[in-house]
Every structure is written in structure tokens, then in C-alpha cells.
Amino acid sequence: MAIQWFPGHMAKARREVTEKLKLIDVVIELVDARVPMSSRNPMVDEITAGKPRLIVLNKSDMADPRVTEQWIKSLKRDGVDVVAVDAKHSKGLGQIHEGALRLMKEKHDRMIAKGRRPSAIRALIIGIPNVGKSTLINRLAGRNIAITGDKPGVTKRQQWIKMKTGEMELLDTPGILWPKFDDQRVGYRLAATGAIKDDILHLDDIALFAVRELKTRYPEQLRERYRLEELPGDAVEVLEAIGKKRGFVTGGYVDFARTSEMLLHELRTEKIGRLTLETVEEWENE
Ligand code: G4P
């Protein structure tokens, strides 16, 4: 689903999330571990202010584990509660309940001291499109739930879903937020990882961006995948060499559209290996 965000949509999405926040104890903010900052909404801190929040680095199976560790350390240092999971394959999901309990501990302890039994923690999953919100809700629920509300502006009656493990309930419609479209680097990172559909940015441009990123961050993985003896200095030449290796040549010319499509498909499906396109250090400098 390609989503076009207009100011009116953003205001509505924000309103919908704000309404949902009134119903819950804990916010579970889902981000993509391959682009942990670019896949966050620029106003999420402000929108969720006052609610305990757990940041979940999802799709960690596709991210560079070394860089994910660095992100976790850095966020924890900043006082953020953060865990890394792989919702698709149900890996690490126990940490979400544990995290929510951690965030609610003080409140629960106070209730217990007054002789009251804490009720089930109510949580809301929020995030930009395609970070895995529906997948996570289904895995936590232990069954498939039709998440029809997972479109901005589409509302339905909300229900609480009991989580498979632990005393926790999830709102069955996630909160959808918009990414930082105004920053071009962010747009390209999201496009390269597949969060933004290809019709928004030009495919060849995304592929060239991806080549430059791979050349800088993961040159060995790029070389090995396409059996390139060396990497030409220029991104267009690298793409051309990849096209040639794959035999995407017609009338003596490399078919750049086909090569771009193949490269992006392989990048998004882990054929080039586990990759992260932004590091803590860069983000601090940016
Ligand atoms: P959303 O509700 O936030 O929009 O995201 P959704 O759950 O629809 O997930 C978007 C895509 O990301 C889906 O792939 C889903 O399978 C994949 N995904 C979600 N979590 C993870 C994860 O932890 N690891 C990996 N590797 N993938 C994940 P799809 O290609 O659109 O659908 P499908 O082919 O998997 O059905």
C-alpha cells in the first residue's frame, strides 16, 4: 500500500493516535532495526509524551547484529527502554512483556502496597507503515487478526486482544505515524529497505543510493554477492557491472531498470546479507 501523506492526513493520524493513547498504559513503538532513526516519526516523542514507552527494534533478523547492539547500548544510555525482536519469526517477543512490566513496576508496586491487585497492562503498538505492526500484533496474539484499521483514516470498533503470554492486552488497531519525508536521506533509506513503495521515488535513483550505501558500509558483501573482482569508484559503473554479471544486457546495453529492480529485491530479502543503513555515530553527527 503506497500512502501519500498530506498535512490533513498527518493531523488526522495524530488525532487518532492521541485518542488511543488515552486508553492505554504503555506505548510500544516499533521501528525498523535496519534504519532505527529514519523509521521513527519526527514527532513521536511529543505525541506520546507522558506515557511509558518501549522501543522495539523489529526486523532485527535482517539488520547487522553488531550495529543493533550499538543502537541498544546508545538508547539505553539515553534512558530509553529498548529491545530487539524478529516479529516475523516470533523471536525475542517475551522481551516485550518483560519491558512493559519494567515500565509499570513503580505503579504496580504502589498499587500492591495499597492492597490492590494490578490489572492487566494495556498497550498500543505504534509506528510508521511497514515496520511490522500487524505482524507483531498477530504473533503476540498467537492467531491471525484482520487488522483492517491499519490504514490512516480507516477506523473500526476497537477491541482488546489478550496476549498469548503474560497479563497484557493490546489494542487491536495499531497507531500509524508518518515518517520524516522532508529529509531526503531518510526517504532514500526507507525506500531502499522497502518501507516506502517504489512509485514515490525513482527506482534507478534508489538503486544508485543502495549501491553507494553498500559500497561504503558492506563492500565485501556486495562484491561477493555479484562476484565482482573489484568495485568501480562510480555507483553507475558498479550497477553496470552487476547488470553485466547477471546477463541483463540487451543490444549491447545494460538494462538498468531490470538491474535496479533485482538489486533492491535482493537487498530487501537479505540476499546480500544482514545490513543496517545508519549507525549511532552518524546519527549523532547528523
Ligand atoms: P505494518 O503493519 O507495520 O504496515 O507492517 P506488516 O506487519 O504488514 O509488515 C510489513 C512487512 O514486513 C511484511 O512483509 C512482514 O512479513 C515483514 N516483517 C514484519 N516483521 C518482520 C521481522 O521481524 N522480520 C522480517 N524479516 N520481516 C518482517 P511482506 O513482504 O509485506 O509480507 P509477507 O510476504 O511477509 O506476507
Side-chain angles (χ1 to χ4, degrees), residues 110-254:
R110 276 201 306 273
M111 289 173 81
I112 291 166
K114 286 184 192 156
R116 284 163 55 201
R117 185 174 174 270
S119 46
I121 299 173
R122 291 195 150 177
L124 171 69
I125 291 177
I126 62 168
I128 67 167
N130 258 312
V131 279
K133 298 180 296 300
S134 312
T135 308
L136 182 65
I137 292 176
N138 284 323
R139 298 296 184 273
L140 290 175
R143 64 199 150 95
N144 277 343
I145 293 155
I147 300 174
T148 49
D150 193 8
K151 287 191 178 76
V154 179
T155 42
K156 63 161 193 164
R157 207 169 63 82
Q158 293 173 341
Q159 289 179 15
W160 294 102
I161 305 168
K162 278 208 181 344
M163 270 175 49
K164 230 177 11 171
T165 51
E167 295 256 299
M168 193 158 151
E169 292 178 347
L170 279 180
L171 203 57
D172 69 342
T173 49
I176 306 170
L177 295 168
W178 59 97
K180 289 181 264 254
F181 281 129
D182 48 343
D183 183 332
Q184 249 213 356
R185 277 169 310 196
V186 169
Y188 275 109
R189 282 175 194 162
L190 291 177
T193 51
I196 294 181
K197 297 295 173 208
D198 294 334
D199 46 4
I200 296 181
L201 293 166
H202 204 282
L203 195 73
D204 293 1
D205 290 338
I206 308 169
L208 286 174
F209 169 82
V211 167
R212 283 192 288 270
E213 289 288 298
L214 291 168
K215 231 167 99 15
T216 320
R217 298 171 194 279
Y218 300 100
E220 278 315 301
Q221 284 173 231
L222 181 64
R223 242 176 28 74
E224 270 173 35
R225 176 68 194 169
Y226 300 107
R227 301 181 199 288
L228 304 170
E229 255 132 57
E230 56 189 63
L231 292 174
D234 182 55
V236 175
E237 286 172 31
V238 176
L239 202 58
E240 192 174 20
I242 292 172
K244 275 190 192 148
K245 281 281 178 184
R246 286 294 165 100
F248 296 166
V249 181
T250 31
Y253 292 100
V254 166

Side-chain angles (χ1 to χ4, degrees), residues 19-153:
E19 279 305 307
K20 288 175 185 183
L21 287 174
K22 290 181 190 155
L23 309 171
I24 54 112
D25 305 303
V26 172
V27 176
I28 297 172
E29 183 194 348
L30 216 54
V31 303
D32 186 326
R34 296 168 298 171
V35 280
M37 287 296 142
S38 294
S39 58
R40 296 190 75 200
N41 170 276
M43 283 148 80
V44 68
D45 294 338
E46 185 199 316
I47 294 171
T48 62
K51 286 281 173 192
R53 181 182 44 183
L54 180 68
I55 293 191
V56 175
L57 303 174
N58 190 37
K59 306 197 186 187
S60 60
D61 55 309
M62 301 175 88
D64 181 334
R66 198 180 48 84
V67 186
T68 300
E69 262 321 300
Q70 290 168 357
W71 277 112
I72 291 177
K73 263 198 204 139
S74 156
L75 287 163
K76 282 191 175 162
R77 226 179 8 242
D78 292 343
V80 176
D81 215 313
V82 55
V83 299
V85 307
D86 161 8
K88 186 167 179 172
H89 309 98
S90 289
K91 297 252 169 70
L93 300 189
Q95 298 174 93
I96 294 182
H97 182 230
E98 287 162 18
L101 276 176
R102 240 185 345 262
L103 291 168
M104 294 298 292
K105 188 171 181 320
E106 265 184 45
K107 191 174 170 198
H108 282 181
D109 285 351
R110 276 201 306 273
M111 289 173 81
I112 291 166
K114 286 184 192 156
R116 284 163 55 201
R117 185 174 174 270
S119 46
I121 299 173
R122 291 195 150 177
L124 171 69
I125 291 177
I126 62 168
I128 67 167
N130 258 312
V131 279
K133 298 180 296 300
S134 312
T135 308
L136 182 65
I137 292 176
N138 284 323
R139 298 296 184 273
L140 290 175
R143 64 199 150 95
N144 277 343
I145 293 155
I147 300 174
T148 49
D150 193 8
K151 287 191 178 76

